[in-house]
PDB file of all heavy atoms in Angstrom:
ATOM      1  N   LEU N  19     -20.541  22.494 -68.876  1.00  0.00           N
ATOM      2  CA  LEU N  19     -21.759  21.682 -68.842  1.00  0.00           C
ATOM      3  C   LEU N  19     -21.965  21.145 -67.432  1.00  0.00           C
ATOM      4  O   LEU N  19     -21.083  20.467 -66.888  1.00  0.00           O
ATOM      5  CB  LEU N  19     -21.644  20.497 -69.815  1.00  0.00           C
ATOM      6  CG  LEU N  19     -22.894  19.595 -69.835  1.00  0.00           C
ATOM      7  CD1 LEU N  19     -24.000  20.245 -70.661  1.00  0.00           C
ATOM      8  CD2 LEU N  19     -22.576  18.202 -70.365  1.00  0.00           C
ATOM      9  N   GLY N  20     -23.126  21.420 -66.834  1.00  0.00           N
ATOM     10  CA  GLY N  20     -23.490  20.811 -65.555  1.00  0.00           C
ATOM     11  C   GLY N  20     -23.944  19.385 -65.792  1.00  0.00           C
ATOM     12  O   GLY N  20     -24.475  19.069 -66.873  1.00  0.00           O
ATOM     13  N   SER N  21     -23.763  18.514 -64.785  1.00  0.00           N
ATOM     14  CA  SER N  21     -24.152  17.116 -65.018  1.00  0.00           C
ATOM     15  C   SER N  21     -24.926  16.497 -63.859  1.00  0.00           C
ATOM     16  O   SER N  21     -25.151  15.288 -63.840  1.00  0.00           O
ATOM     17  CB  SER N  21     -22.913  16.265 -65.330  1.00  0.00           C
ATOM     18  OG  SER N  21     -22.114  16.120 -64.178  1.00  0.00           O
ATOM     19  N   TRP N  22     -25.351  17.330 -62.895  1.00  0.00           N
ATOM     20  CA  TRP N  22     -26.185  16.800 -61.808  1.00  0.00           C
ATOM     21  C   TRP N  22     -27.495  16.281 -62.407  1.00  0.00           C
ATOM     22  O   TRP N  22     -28.111  16.984 -63.231  1.00  0.00           O
ATOM     23  CB  TRP N  22     -26.476  17.909 -60.790  1.00  0.00           C
ATOM     24  CG  TRP N  22     -27.369  17.504 -59.669  1.00  0.00           C
ATOM     25  CD1 TRP N  22     -27.331  16.342 -58.966  1.00  0.00           C
ATOM     26  CD2 TRP N  22     -28.441  18.288 -59.108  1.00  0.00           C
ATOM     27  NE1 TRP N  22     -28.313  16.347 -58.000  1.00  0.00           N
ATOM     28  CE2 TRP N  22     -29.006  17.523 -58.063  1.00  0.00           C
ATOM     29  CE3 TRP N  22     -28.972  19.559 -59.378  1.00  0.00           C
ATOM     30  CZ2 TRP N  22     -30.084  17.979 -57.299  1.00  0.00           C
ATOM     31  CZ3 TRP N  22     -30.040  20.023 -58.614  1.00  0.00           C
ATOM     32  CH2 TRP N  22     -30.580  19.242 -57.582  1.00  0.00           C
ATOM     33  N   GLN N  23     -27.910  15.101 -62.044  1.00  0.00           N
ATOM     34  CA  GLN N  23     -29.140  14.476 -62.537  1.00  0.00           C
ATOM     35  C   GLN N  23     -29.053  14.038 -64.001  1.00  0.00           C
ATOM     36  O   GLN N  23     -30.069  13.697 -64.598  1.00  0.00           O
ATOM     37  CB  GLN N  23     -30.363  15.388 -62.309  1.00  0.00           C
ATOM     38  CG  GLN N  23     -30.640  15.585 -60.822  1.00  0.00           C
ATOM     39  CD  GLN N  23     -31.776  16.550 -60.528  1.00  0.00           C
ATOM     40  OE1 GLN N  23     -31.930  17.568 -61.193  1.00  0.00           O
ATOM     41  NE2 GLN N  23     -32.560  16.232 -59.532  1.00  0.00           N
ATOM     42  N   ASP N  46     -18.625  19.769 -65.536  1.00  0.00           N
ATOM     43  CA  ASP N  46     -18.723  19.783 -64.072  1.00  0.00           C
ATOM     44  C   ASP N  46     -19.438  18.511 -63.602  1.00  0.00           C
ATOM     45  O   ASP N  46     -20.578  18.265 -63.979  1.00  0.00           O
ATOM     46  CB  ASP N  46     -19.518  21.013 -63.620  1.00  0.00           C
ATOM     47  CG  ASP N  46     -19.602  21.117 -62.106  1.00  0.00           C
ATOM     48  OD1 ASP N  46     -18.645  21.630 -61.506  1.00  0.00           O
ATOM     49  OD2 ASP N  46     -20.615  20.670 -61.526  1.00  0.00           O
ATOM     50  N   THR N  47     -18.735  17.719 -62.774  1.00  0.00           N
ATOM     51  CA  THR N  47     -19.391  16.553 -62.180  1.00  0.00           C
ATOM     52  C   THR N  47     -19.071  16.526 -60.692  1.00  0.00           C
ATOM     53  O   THR N  47     -18.527  17.497 -60.146  1.00  0.00           O
ATOM     54  CB  THR N  47     -18.980  15.245 -62.899  1.00  0.00           C
ATOM     55  OG1 THR N  47     -19.708  14.149 -62.318  1.00  0.00           O
ATOM     56  CG2 THR N  47     -17.496  14.964 -62.816  1.00  0.00           C
ATOM     57  N   TYR N  51     -22.851  12.616 -57.843  1.00  0.00           N
ATOM     58  CA  TYR N  51     -23.760  12.527 -59.004  1.00  0.00           C
ATOM     59  C   TYR N  51     -23.819  11.110 -59.565  1.00  0.00           C
ATOM     60  O   TYR N  51     -24.719  10.785 -60.336  1.00  0.00           O
ATOM     61  CB  TYR N  51     -23.345  13.492 -60.129  1.00  0.00           C
ATOM     62  CG  TYR N  51     -23.334  14.970 -59.756  1.00  0.00           C
ATOM     63  CD1 TYR N  51     -22.748  15.902 -60.601  1.00  0.00           C
ATOM     64  CD2 TYR N  51     -23.897  15.418 -58.575  1.00  0.00           C
ATOM     65  CE1 TYR N  51     -22.716  17.246 -60.269  1.00  0.00           C
ATOM     66  CE2 TYR N  51     -23.859  16.762 -58.233  1.00  0.00           C
ATOM     67  CZ  TYR N  51     -23.268  17.670 -59.080  1.00  0.00           C
ATOM     68  OH  TYR N  51     -23.232  18.998 -58.750  1.00  0.00           O
ATOM     69  N   LYS N  76     -16.000  16.793 -57.336  1.00  0.00           N
ATOM     70  CA  LYS N  76     -16.164  17.318 -55.968  1.00  0.00           C
ATOM     71  C   LYS N  76     -16.135  16.204 -54.932  1.00  0.00           C
ATOM     72  O   LYS N  76     -16.631  15.107 -55.193  1.00  0.00           O
ATOM     73  CB  LYS N  76     -17.511  18.066 -55.860  1.00  0.00           C
ATOM     74  CG  LYS N  76     -17.776  19.022 -56.990  1.00  0.00           C
ATOM     75  CD  LYS N  76     -19.071  19.793 -56.826  1.00  0.00           C
ATOM     76  CE  LYS N  76     -19.427  20.532 -58.105  1.00  0.00           C
ATOM     77  NZ  LYS N  76     -20.235  19.740 -59.059  1.00  0.00           N
ATOM     78  N   HIS N 109     -17.444  19.828 -51.749  1.00  0.00           N
ATOM     79  CA  HIS N 109     -18.820  20.040 -52.241  1.00  0.00           C
ATOM     80  C   HIS N 109     -19.642  20.933 -51.297  1.00  0.00           C
ATOM     81  O   HIS N 109     -20.375  21.808 -51.742  1.00  0.00           O
ATOM     82  CB  HIS N 109     -19.502  18.674 -52.426  1.00  0.00           C
ATOM     83  CG  HIS N 109     -20.580  18.657 -53.445  1.00  0.00           C
ATOM     84  ND1 HIS N 109     -20.798  17.609 -54.299  1.00  0.00           N
ATOM     85  CD2 HIS N 109     -21.520  19.565 -53.777  1.00  0.00           C
ATOM     86  CE1 HIS N 109     -21.810  17.882 -55.098  1.00  0.00           C
ATOM     87  NE2 HIS N 109     -22.270  19.062 -54.788  1.00  0.00           N
ATOM     88  N   PHE N 110     -19.520  20.661 -49.984  1.00  0.00           N
ATOM     89  CA  PHE N 110     -20.253  21.448 -48.974  1.00  0.00           C
ATOM     90  C   PHE N 110     -19.380  21.599 -47.725  1.00  0.00           C
ATOM     91  O   PHE N 110     -18.602  20.691 -47.422  1.00  0.00           O
ATOM     92  CB  PHE N 110     -21.536  20.719 -48.534  1.00  0.00           C
ATOM     93  CG  PHE N 110     -22.704  20.892 -49.450  1.00  0.00           C
ATOM     94  CD1 PHE N 110     -22.979  19.937 -50.422  1.00  0.00           C
ATOM     95  CD2 PHE N 110     -23.551  21.995 -49.352  1.00  0.00           C
ATOM     96  CE1 PHE N 110     -24.071  20.078 -51.275  1.00  0.00           C
ATOM     97  CE2 PHE N 110     -24.638  22.139 -50.194  1.00  0.00           C
ATOM     98  CZ  PHE N 110     -24.905  21.184 -51.158  1.00  0.00           C
ATOM     99  N   SER N 138     -17.210  24.723 -52.567  1.00  0.00           N
ATOM    100  CA  SER N 138     -18.556  24.924 -53.101  1.00  0.00           C
ATOM    101  C   SER N 138     -19.495  25.122 -51.924  1.00  0.00           C
ATOM    102  O   SER N 138     -19.318  24.494 -50.876  1.00  0.00           O
ATOM    103  CB  SER N 138     -18.962  23.701 -53.933  1.00  0.00           C
ATOM    104  OG  SER N 138     -20.279  23.843 -54.388  1.00  0.00           O
ATOM    105  N   ASN N 139     -20.455  25.991 -52.102  1.00  0.00           N
ATOM    106  CA  ASN N 139     -21.447  26.285 -51.062  1.00  0.00           C
ATOM    107  C   ASN N 139     -20.803  26.865 -49.801  1.00  0.00           C
ATOM    108  O   ASN N 139     -21.255  26.608 -48.695  1.00  0.00           O
ATOM    109  CB  ASN N 139     -22.250  25.014 -50.726  1.00  0.00           C
ATOM    110  CG  ASN N 139     -23.003  24.500 -51.927  1.00  0.00           C
ATOM    111  OD1 ASN N 139     -23.868  25.197 -52.451  1.00  0.00           O
ATOM    112  ND2 ASN N 139     -22.659  23.318 -52.421  1.00  0.00           N
ATOM    113  N   GLN N 160     -18.002  27.545 -55.846  1.00  0.00           N
ATOM    114  CA  GLN N 160     -19.157  27.230 -56.703  1.00  0.00           C
ATOM    115  C   GLN N 160     -20.419  27.321 -55.848  1.00  0.00           C
ATOM    116  O   GLN N 160     -20.560  26.569 -54.888  1.00  0.00           O
ATOM    117  CB  GLN N 160     -19.006  25.828 -57.302  1.00  0.00           C
ATOM    118  CG  GLN N 160     -20.143  25.474 -58.231  1.00  0.00           C
ATOM    119  CD  GLN N 160     -20.061  24.079 -58.835  1.00  0.00           C
ATOM    120  OE1 GLN N 160     -20.958  23.260 -58.665  1.00  0.00           O
ATOM    121  NE2 GLN N 160     -18.991  23.789 -59.551  1.00  0.00           N
ATOM    122  N   ALA N 185     -21.408  29.601 -61.047  1.00  0.00           N
ATOM    123  CA  ALA N 185     -22.849  29.630 -60.818  1.00  0.00           C
ATOM    124  C   ALA N 185     -23.435  28.236 -60.984  1.00  0.00           C
ATOM    125  O   ALA N 185     -23.450  27.700 -62.088  1.00  0.00           O
ATOM    126  CB  ALA N 185     -23.508  30.575 -61.816  1.00  0.00           C
ATOM    127  N   TRP N 186     -23.920  27.660 -59.856  1.00  0.00           N
ATOM    128  CA  TRP N 186     -24.683  26.404 -60.011  1.00  0.00           C
ATOM    129  C   TRP N 186     -26.177  26.711 -60.067  1.00  0.00           C
ATOM    130  O   TRP N 186     -26.610  27.754 -59.583  1.00  0.00           O
ATOM    131  CB  TRP N 186     -24.310  25.342 -59.030  1.00  0.00           C
ATOM    132  CG  TRP N 186     -24.533  25.387 -57.537  1.00  0.00           C
ATOM    133  CD1 TRP N 186     -23.554  25.478 -56.580  1.00  0.00           C
ATOM    134  CD2 TRP N 186     -25.773  25.233 -56.809  1.00  0.00           C
ATOM    135  NE1 TRP N 186     -24.119  25.408 -55.332  1.00  0.00           N
ATOM    136  CE2 TRP N 186     -25.475  25.246 -55.433  1.00  0.00           C
ATOM    137  CE3 TRP N 186     -27.115  25.084 -57.189  1.00  0.00           C
ATOM    138  CZ2 TRP N 186     -26.443  25.141 -54.431  1.00  0.00           C
ATOM    139  CZ3 TRP N 186     -28.085  24.966 -56.205  1.00  0.00           C
ATOM    140  CH2 TRP N 186     -27.750  24.995 -54.840  1.00  0.00           C
ATOM    141  N   SER N 187     -26.898  25.804 -60.700  1.00  0.00           N
ATOM    142  CA  SER N 187     -28.328  26.038 -60.999  1.00  0.00           C
ATOM    143  C   SER N 187     -28.546  27.431 -61.588  1.00  0.00           C
ATOM    144  O   SER N 187     -29.412  28.173 -61.112  1.00  0.00           O
ATOM    145  CB  SER N 187     -29.202  25.834 -59.759  1.00  0.00           C
ATOM    146  OG  SER N 187     -29.229  24.486 -59.379  1.00  0.00           O
ATOM    147  N   PRO N 188     -27.810  27.796 -62.641  1.00  0.00           N
ATOM    148  CA  PRO N 188     -28.012  29.132 -63.222  1.00  0.00           C
ATOM    149  C   PRO N 188     -29.432  29.312 -63.760  1.00  0.00           C
ATOM    150  O   PRO N 188     -29.917  30.443 -63.827  1.00  0.00           O
ATOM    151  CB  PRO N 188     -26.967  29.187 -64.350  1.00  0.00           C
ATOM    152  CG  PRO N 188     -26.688  27.750 -64.693  1.00  0.00           C
ATOM    153  CD  PRO N 188     -26.807  27.017 -63.381  1.00  0.00           C
ATOM    154  N   LEU N 189     -30.091  28.194 -64.099  1.00  0.00           N
ATOM    155  CA  LEU N 189     -31.472  28.269 -64.602  1.00  0.00           C
ATOM    156  C   LEU N 189     -32.456  27.786 -63.538  1.00  0.00           C
ATOM    157  O   LEU N 189     -33.603  27.421 -63.845  1.00  0.00           O
ATOM    158  CB  LEU N 189     -31.603  27.428 -65.883  1.00  0.00           C
ATOM    159  CG  LEU N 189     -30.582  27.766 -66.977  1.00  0.00           C
ATOM    160  CD1 LEU N 189     -30.692  26.802 -68.151  1.00  0.00           C
ATOM    161  CD2 LEU N 189     -30.758  29.211 -67.462  1.00  0.00           C
ATOM    162  N   GLY N 190     -32.010  27.784 -62.283  1.00  0.00           N
ATOM    163  CA  GLY N 190     -32.884  27.354 -61.183  1.00  0.00           C
ATOM    164  C   GLY N 190     -33.352  25.921 -61.363  1.00  0.00           C
ATOM    165  O   GLY N 190     -34.505  25.608 -61.068  1.00  0.00           O
ATOM    166  N   SER N 191     -32.452  25.048 -61.861  1.00  0.00           N
ATOM    167  CA  SER N 191     -32.810  23.654 -62.187  1.00  0.00           C
ATOM    168  C   SER N 191     -34.022  23.617 -63.119  1.00  0.00           C
ATOM    169  O   SER N 191     -34.869  22.722 -63.011  1.00  0.00           O
ATOM    170  CB  SER N 191     -33.103  22.839 -60.913  1.00  0.00           C
ATOM    171  OG  SER N 191     -31.956  22.733 -60.118  1.00  0.00           O
ATOM    172  N   GLY N 192     -34.116  24.577 -64.007  1.00  0.00           N
ATOM    173  CA  GLY N 192     -35.194  24.613 -65.001  1.00  0.00           C
ATOM    174  C   GLY N 192     -36.352  25.520 -64.617  1.00  0.00           C
ATOM    175  O   GLY N 192     -37.216  25.818 -65.449  1.00  0.00           O
ATOM    176  N   VAL N 195     -36.680  28.823 -66.946  1.00  0.00           N
ATOM    177  CA  VAL N 195     -36.554  28.807 -68.411  1.00  0.00           C
ATOM    178  C   VAL N 195     -37.736  29.485 -69.105  1.00  0.00           C
ATOM    179  O   VAL N 195     -37.655  29.828 -70.284  1.00  0.00           O
ATOM    180  CB  VAL N 195     -36.306  27.378 -68.973  1.00  0.00           C
ATOM    181  CG1 VAL N 195     -35.022  26.790 -68.427  1.00  0.00           C
ATOM    182  CG2 VAL N 195     -37.486  26.460 -68.717  1.00  0.00           C
ATOM    183  N   SER N 210     -33.408  33.230 -76.304  1.00  0.00           N
ATOM    184  CA  SER N 210     -34.271  32.531 -75.349  1.00  0.00           C
ATOM    185  C   SER N 210     -34.011  33.086 -73.943  1.00  0.00           C
ATOM    186  O   SER N 210     -32.978  33.723 -73.693  1.00  0.00           O
ATOM    187  CB  SER N 210     -33.992  31.024 -75.385  1.00  0.00           C
ATOM    188  OG  SER N 210     -32.706  30.767 -74.847  1.00  0.00           O
ATOM    189  N   PRO N 212     -33.269  31.310 -71.216  1.00  0.00           N
ATOM    190  CA  PRO N 212     -32.005  30.772 -70.670  1.00  0.00           C
ATOM    191  C   PRO N 212     -30.777  31.499 -71.214  1.00  0.00           C
ATOM    192  O   PRO N 212     -29.827  31.767 -70.468  1.00  0.00           O
ATOM    193  CB  PRO N 212     -32.027  29.301 -71.117  1.00  0.00           C
ATOM    194  CG  PRO N 212     -33.480  28.972 -71.215  1.00  0.00           C
ATOM    195  CD  PRO N 212     -34.140  30.228 -71.713  1.00  0.00           C
ATOM    196  N   LEU N 227     -22.665  27.142 -65.294  1.00  0.00           N
ATOM    197  CA  LEU N 227     -22.662  25.684 -65.484  1.00  0.00           C
ATOM    198  C   LEU N 227     -24.052  25.159 -65.830  1.00  0.00           C
ATOM    199  O   LEU N 227     -24.624  24.335 -65.093  1.00  0.00           O
ATOM    200  CB  LEU N 227     -22.159  25.015 -64.196  1.00  0.00           C
ATOM    201  CG  LEU N 227     -20.760  25.425 -63.722  1.00  0.00           C
ATOM    202  CD1 LEU N 227     -20.485  24.909 -62.311  1.00  0.00           C
ATOM    203  CD2 LEU N 227     -19.700  24.921 -64.697  1.00  0.00           C
ATOM    204  N   PRO N 228     -24.655  25.603 -66.934  1.00  0.00           N
ATOM    205  CA  PRO N 228     -25.995  25.097 -67.269  1.00  0.00           C
ATOM    206  C   PRO N 228     -25.952  23.598 -67.541  1.00  0.00           C
ATOM    207  O   PRO N 228     -25.028  23.102 -68.181  1.00  0.00           O
ATOM    208  CB  PRO N 228     -26.348  25.870 -68.541  1.00  0.00           C
ATOM    209  CG  PRO N 228     -25.024  26.232 -69.153  1.00  0.00           C
ATOM    210  CD  PRO N 228     -24.113  26.479 -67.981  1.00  0.00           C
ATOM    211  N   LYS N 229     -26.971  22.905 -67.041  1.00  0.00           N
ATOM    212  CA  LYS N 229     -27.074  21.454 -67.288  1.00  0.00           C
ATOM    213  C   LYS N 229     -28.174  21.199 -68.306  1.00  0.00           C
ATOM    214  O   LYS N 229     -29.262  21.766 -68.225  1.00  0.00           O
ATOM    215  CB  LYS N 229     -27.412  20.741 -65.975  1.00  0.00           C
ATOM    216  CG  LYS N 229     -27.683  19.240 -66.112  1.00  0.00           C
ATOM    217  CD  LYS N 229     -29.157  18.910 -66.162  1.00  0.00           C
ATOM    218  CE  LYS N 229     -29.437  17.423 -66.319  1.00  0.00           C
ATOM    219  NZ  LYS N 229     -30.893  17.151 -66.432  1.00  0.00           N
ATOM    220  N   SER N 230     -27.882  20.334 -69.243  1.00  0.00           N
ATOM    221  CA  SER N 230     -28.941  19.804 -70.094  1.00  0.00           C
ATOM    222  C   SER N 230     -28.490  18.472 -70.642  1.00  0.00           C
ATOM    223  O   SER N 230     -27.290  18.204 -70.755  1.00  0.00           O
ATOM    224  CB  SER N 230     -29.265  20.755 -71.255  1.00  0.00           C
ATOM    225  OG  SER N 230     -30.215  20.122 -72.098  1.00  0.00           O
ATOM    226  N   VAL N 231     -29.480  17.639 -70.989  1.00  0.00           N
ATOM    227  CA  VAL N 231     -29.172  16.370 -71.650  1.00  0.00           C
ATOM    228  C   VAL N 231     -29.745  16.380 -73.072  1.00  0.00           C
ATOM    229  O   VAL N 231     -29.774  15.346 -73.722  1.00  0.00           O
ATOM    230  CB  VAL N 231     -29.703  15.164 -70.830  1.00  0.00           C
ATOM    231  CG1 VAL N 231     -28.979  15.078 -69.487  1.00  0.00           C
ATOM    232  CG2 VAL N 231     -31.212  15.247 -70.624  1.00  0.00           C
ATOM    233  N   HIS N 232     -30.221  17.541 -73.518  1.00  0.00           N
ATOM    234  CA  HIS N 232     -30.799  17.642 -74.861  1.00  0.00           C
ATOM    235  C   HIS N 232     -29.888  18.476 -75.762  1.00  0.00           C
ATOM    236  O   HIS N 232     -29.501  19.591 -75.389  1.00  0.00           O
ATOM    237  CB  HIS N 232     -32.196  18.274 -74.787  1.00  0.00           C
ATOM    238  CG  HIS N 232     -33.194  17.377 -74.113  1.00  0.00           C
ATOM    239  ND1 HIS N 232     -33.574  17.540 -72.800  1.00  0.00           N
ATOM    240  CD2 HIS N 232     -33.837  16.277 -74.568  1.00  0.00           C
ATOM    241  CE1 HIS N 232     -34.427  16.578 -72.470  1.00  0.00           C
ATOM    242  NE2 HIS N 232     -34.610  15.803 -73.525  1.00  0.00           N
ATOM    243  N   TYR N 235     -30.780  22.194 -76.338  1.00  0.00           N
ATOM    244  CA  TYR N 235     -30.506  23.093 -75.210  1.00  0.00           C
ATOM    245  C   TYR N 235     -28.998  23.247 -74.987  1.00  0.00           C
ATOM    246  O   TYR N 235     -28.504  24.327 -74.659  1.00  0.00           O
ATOM    247  CB  TYR N 235     -31.133  22.571 -73.919  1.00  0.00           C
ATOM    248  CG  TYR N 235     -32.640  22.484 -73.921  1.00  0.00           C
ATOM    249  CD1 TYR N 235     -33.291  21.633 -73.027  1.00  0.00           C
ATOM    250  CD2 TYR N 235     -33.421  23.252 -74.774  1.00  0.00           C
ATOM    251  CE1 TYR N 235     -34.676  21.543 -72.990  1.00  0.00           C
ATOM    252  CE2 TYR N 235     -34.805  23.158 -74.751  1.00  0.00           C
ATOM    253  CZ  TYR N 235     -35.426  22.297 -73.858  1.00  0.00           C
ATOM    254  OH  TYR N 235     -36.780  22.208 -73.821  1.00  0.00           O
ATOM    255  N   GLU N 238     -27.855  25.640 -77.540  1.00  0.00           N
ATOM    256  CA  GLU N 238     -28.424  26.972 -77.268  1.00  0.00           C
ATOM    257  C   GLU N 238     -27.696  27.664 -76.103  1.00  0.00           C
ATOM    258  O   GLU N 238     -27.396  28.858 -76.162  1.00  0.00           O
ATOM    259  CB  GLU N 238     -29.900  26.768 -76.917  1.00  0.00           C
ATOM    260  CG  GLU N 238     -30.693  28.004 -76.630  1.00  0.00           C
ATOM    261  CD  GLU N 238     -32.137  27.617 -76.253  1.00  0.00           C
ATOM    262  OE1 GLU N 238     -32.745  26.760 -76.937  1.00  0.00           O
ATOM    263  OE2 GLU N 238     -32.638  28.178 -75.267  1.00  0.00           O
ATOM    264  N   ASN N 239     -27.379  26.892 -75.071  1.00  0.00           N
ATOM    265  CA  ASN N 239     -26.771  27.483 -73.874  1.00  0.00           C
ATOM    266  C   ASN N 239     -25.338  27.969 -74.109  1.00  0.00           C
ATOM    267  O   ASN N 239     -24.834  28.801 -73.358  1.00  0.00           O
ATOM    268  CB  ASN N 239     -26.798  26.479 -72.719  1.00  0.00           C
ATOM    269  CG  ASN N 239     -28.219  26.155 -72.273  1.00  0.00           C
ATOM    270  OD1 ASN N 239     -29.162  26.880 -72.612  1.00  0.00           O
ATOM    271  ND2 ASN N 239     -28.394  25.077 -71.534  1.00  0.00           N
TER     272      ASN N 239
HETATM  273  N1  NAP L   1     -22.092  22.496 -56.082  1.00  0.00           N
HETATM  274  C1  NAP L   1     -23.351  22.214 -55.856  1.00  0.00           C
HETATM  275  O1  NAP L   1     -23.785  22.028 -54.719  1.00  0.00           O
HETATM  276  C2  NAP L   1     -24.277  22.144 -57.015  1.00  0.00           C
HETATM  277  C3  NAP L   1     -25.670  22.108 -56.784  1.00  0.00           C
HETATM  278  C4  NAP L   1     -26.509  22.075 -57.894  1.00  0.00           C
HETATM  279  C5  NAP L   1     -25.962  22.067 -59.165  1.00  0.00           C
HETATM  280  N2  NAP L   1     -24.608  22.075 -59.366  1.00  0.00           N
HETATM  281  C6  NAP L   1     -23.981  22.087 -60.723  1.00  0.00           C
HETATM  282  O2  NAP L   1     -24.638  23.078 -61.507  1.00  0.00           O
HETATM  283  C7  NAP L   1     -25.205  22.456 -62.647  1.00  0.00           C
HETATM  284  C8  NAP L   1     -26.449  23.192 -63.132  1.00  0.00           C
HETATM  285  O3  NAP L   1     -27.449  23.223 -62.156  1.00  0.00           O
HETATM  286  P1  NAP L   1     -28.820  22.370 -62.281  1.00  0.00           P
HETATM  287  O4  NAP L   1     -28.493  21.017 -62.780  1.00  0.00           O
HETATM  288  O5  NAP L   1     -29.531  22.519 -60.998  1.00  0.00           O
HETATM  289  O6  NAP L   1     -29.701  23.064 -63.335  1.00  0.00           O
HETATM  290  P2  NAP L   1     -29.832  24.302 -64.347  1.00  0.00           P
HETATM  291  O7  NAP L   1     -28.678  24.328 -65.284  1.00  0.00           O
HETATM  292  O8  NAP L   1     -30.135  25.499 -63.534  1.00  0.00           O
HETATM  293  O9  NAP L   1     -31.148  23.825 -65.116  1.00  0.00           O
HETATM  294  C9  NAP L   1     -31.213  22.577 -65.754  1.00  0.00           C
HETATM  295  C10 NAP L   1     -32.632  22.300 -66.199  1.00  0.00           C
HETATM  296  O10 NAP L   1     -33.019  23.262 -67.179  1.00  0.00           O
HETATM  297  C11 NAP L   1     -33.295  22.591 -68.404  1.00  0.00           C
HETATM  298  N3  NAP L   1     -32.674  23.400 -69.482  1.00  0.00           N
HETATM  299  C12 NAP L   1     -31.362  23.625 -69.670  1.00  0.00           C
HETATM  300  N4  NAP L   1     -31.161  24.443 -70.709  1.00  0.00           N
HETATM  301  C13 NAP L   1     -32.381  24.739 -71.198  1.00  0.00           C
HETATM  302  C14 NAP L   1     -32.830  25.522 -72.279  1.00  0.00           C
HETATM  303  N5  NAP L   1     -31.974  26.184 -73.050  1.00  0.00           N
HETATM  304  N6  NAP L   1     -34.172  25.600 -72.522  1.00  0.00           N
HETATM  305  C15 NAP L   1     -35.046  24.936 -71.724  1.00  0.00           C
HETATM  306  N7  NAP L   1     -34.688  24.172 -70.699  1.00  0.00           N
HETATM  307  C16 NAP L   1     -33.357  24.063 -70.419  1.00  0.00           C
HETATM  308  C17 NAP L   1     -32.661  21.216 -68.308  1.00  0.00           C
HETATM  309  O11 NAP L   1     -33.358  20.320 -69.128  1.00  0.00           O
HETATM  310  P3  NAP L   1     -32.816  18.880 -69.623  1.00  0.00           P
HETATM  311  O12 NAP L   1     -31.751  18.430 -68.660  1.00  0.00           O
HETATM  312  O13 NAP L   1     -34.036  18.030 -69.609  1.00  0.00           O
HETATM  313  O14 NAP L   1     -32.269  19.029 -70.982  1.00  0.00           O
HETATM  314  C18 NAP L   1     -32.799  20.933 -66.826  1.00  0.00           C
HETATM  315  O15 NAP L   1     -34.108  20.475 -66.520  1.00  0.00           O
HETATM  316  C19 NAP L   1     -25.460  21.033 -62.155  1.00  0.00           C
HETATM  317  O16 NAP L   1     -25.765  20.142 -63.201  1.00  0.00           O
HETATM  318  C20 NAP L   1     -24.188  20.749 -61.423  1.00  0.00           C
HETATM  319  O17 NAP L   1     -23.150  20.442 -62.327  1.00  0.00           O
HETATM  320  C21 NAP L   1     -23.771  22.126 -58.291  1.00  0.00           C
END
Side-chain angles (χ1 to χ4, degrees):
L19 180 78
S21 70
W22 177 43
Q23 295 176 321
D46 183 83
T47 183
Y51 300 168
K76 313 183 191 89
H109 207 142
F110 278 96
S138 177
N139 299 298
Q160 182 181 121
W186 66 248
S187 292
L189 307 174
S191 296
V195 299
S210 69
L227 302 169
K229 174 261 179 183
S230 175
V231 295
H232 292 100
Y235 297 158
E238 181 182 315
N239 295 344

